[in-house]
Amino acid sequence: MMKCLQRTAVLALPMVMMGSALAATSGSHYSLGGEGVEAGTPPPPGMHYRLYNTWYDADTLTDDNGDAQQMDFSLEVFAQAHRFVNVTDTKIFGANWGYNLIVPVIDKEIAIGGAFDASSGFEVGDIVIEPLALFWFNPRFDAILAIAAIAPTGDYSADKPESVGYGYWSGMITAGGTYFFDDDRSWSFSTLSRTLWHGHQDDTGIRPGMEFCLEGGVGKNILLDNHWLIRPGVSYSAGWQISDDSKDGASSIANQRKRSFGLGAELNVMYLPWLLQANLRFHSEFDSKNTAEGESLVLTFTKSF
């Protein structure tokens, strides 16, 4: 059973899609809710394609106290991210070396106070290039360590809140793993961290503050027969801005750091003969600060070769 689970594992590196709110440095190059149960389990050696479909809806903007701001606000996003992963047999520090590319296509509509209502149209966002990913496979524990660059390929303008790009480069380090409570790798707990640091933003000259994110979940693999495996579970997420925005070396307005938490439920279905899987996750944000607060539905399809 363990071999089947590894062969159909969730691809657990980050997805890029639209984050949240209004300011020049709003949102994030990583949006919470993209991964969940077995987030720290890497794909096995081989080629993999994963298609993320994410619907995000928010009607609340929060201030530094976590209270809803008194304004009419609506943000609707559909993001489709195409991810191409190759895990090689090359060993580095006992881990399999892999690399991947993520190309997001985003449609974003935002309305503010009845005075602004605009849509981006379906456009390519900021692309993730991950040249170095190390994957460790063990009977009861899997681990991931990776570094990526996020390029400002999406359209961005400071006077267009509907922009699908962010106008700056980002670097991202991913680290985490999945622990299995039994030899059959049925019950699991996973956690995966991302640390992001950013360059200066086009048009504004602002450098957004660093971010730290966690995602993961608890799940149970159930082998129905030789063809079908399902995995229900509960997922969680948390994200913090850990340094201030800055401009020309000076800190921006104090008490503007973003924060968000989320909980979700998901079901993963795998058809083993075709090395094909589908995952459906509902994710709800809460206790946010200085950002939008909403809900997302994530439907992913993964094909291994």
Side-chain angles (χ1 to χ4, degrees):
M1 180 176 177
M2 182 176 72
K3 185 179 292 185
C4 291
L5 297 183
Q6 287 181 338
R7 192 72 180 122
T8 55
V10 171
L11 306 181
L13 300 179
M15 181 198 74
V16 172
M17 61 162 283
M18 169 58 198
S20 322
L22 297 178
T25 58
S26 66
S28 172
H29 267 146
Y30 185 82
S31 289
L32 298 173
E35 306 290 355
V37 175
E38 294 194 20
T41 294
M47 295 291 299
H48 311 271
Y49 168 69
R50 189 167 208 190
L51 174 64
Y52 298 82
N53 298 277
T54 301
W55 293 265
Y56 178 79
D57 181 81
D59 58 8
T60 301
L61 275 174
T62 58
D63 58 20
D64 191 58
N65 295 317
D67 298 324
Q69 298 188 32
Q70 299 304 308
M71 68 168 66
D72 291 328
F73 171 77
S74 175
L75 174 64
E76 296 181 2
V77 180
F78 173 65
Q80 191 174 78
H82 303 268
R83 183 175 174 192
F84 307 90
V85 184
N86 184 23
V87 181
T88 74
D89 292 320
T90 301
K91 296 288 188 176
I92 302 177
F93 303 120
N96 288 74
W97 166 56
Y99 54 90
N100 80 108
L101 175 73
I102 306 173
V103 181
V105 185
I106 302 166
D107 180 35
K108 173 185 173 185
E109 183 173 346
I110 184 169
I112 307 165
F116 181 88
D117 190 345
S119 176
S120 66
F122 215 50
E123 301 177 7
V124 175
D126 293 344
I127 292 175
V128 180
I129 305 165
E130 190 164 66
L132 179 62
L134 302 179
F135 303 139
W136 288 269
F137 302 96
N138 297 286
R140 298 280 290 271
F141 183 75
D142 297 329
I144 295 173
L145 179 63
I147 186 167
I150 306 174
T153 51
D155 180 65
Y156 171 77
S157 177
D159 60 357
K160 293 183 177 181
E162 73 274 19
S163 297
V164 300
Y166 287 97
Y168 53 82
W169 284 84
S170 292
M172 180 165 58
I173 293 177
T174 299
T178 298
Y179 178 75
F180 295 92
F181 293 94
D182 53 358
D183 292 336
D184 287 334
R185 294 168 65 99
S186 61
W187 283 100
S188 67
F189 172 78
S190 63
T191 190
L192 200 64
S193 70
R194 289 100 177 171
T195 304
L196 295 94
W197 65 100
H198 311 294
H200 288 92
Q201 187 176 51
D202 293 345
D203 291 1
T204 68
I206 295 174
R207 181 192 295 271
M210 292 179 62
E211 299 173 75
F212 180 73
C213 306
L214 290 173
E215 281 190 310
V218 177
K220 167 68 173 178
N221 286 299
I222 303 171
L223 187 63
L224 300 180
D225 54 34
N226 292 332
H227 292 83
W228 294 96
L229 184 145
I230 62 172
R231 183 175 63 232
V234 176
S235 61
Y236 67 87
S237 67
W240 300 266
Q241 183 178 336
I242 58 177
S243 68
D244 291 333
D245 300 343
S246 64
K247 186 172 183 179
D248 300 326
S251 295
S252 65
I253 299 173
N255 299 323
Q256 291 290 312
R257 298 189 184 186
K258 301 185 290 290
R259 184 190 75 185
S260 186
F261 300 99
L263 286 174
E266 66 178 77
L267 177 66
N268 199 67
V269 179
M270 290 165 269
Y271 186 63
L272 303 178
W274 290 1
L275 304 178
L276 180 68
Q277 64 176 303
N279 180 279
L280 182 65
R281 178 183 306 106
F282 175 77
H283 183 258
S284 181
E285 298 169 337
F286 64 92
D287 201 21
S288 302
K289 287 186 177 182
N290 296 312
T291 188
E293 187 173 275
E295 298 173 337
S296 62
L297 186 67
V298 184
L299 175 63
T300 61
F301 299 97
T302 306
K303 180 68 175 77
S304 300
F305 300 93

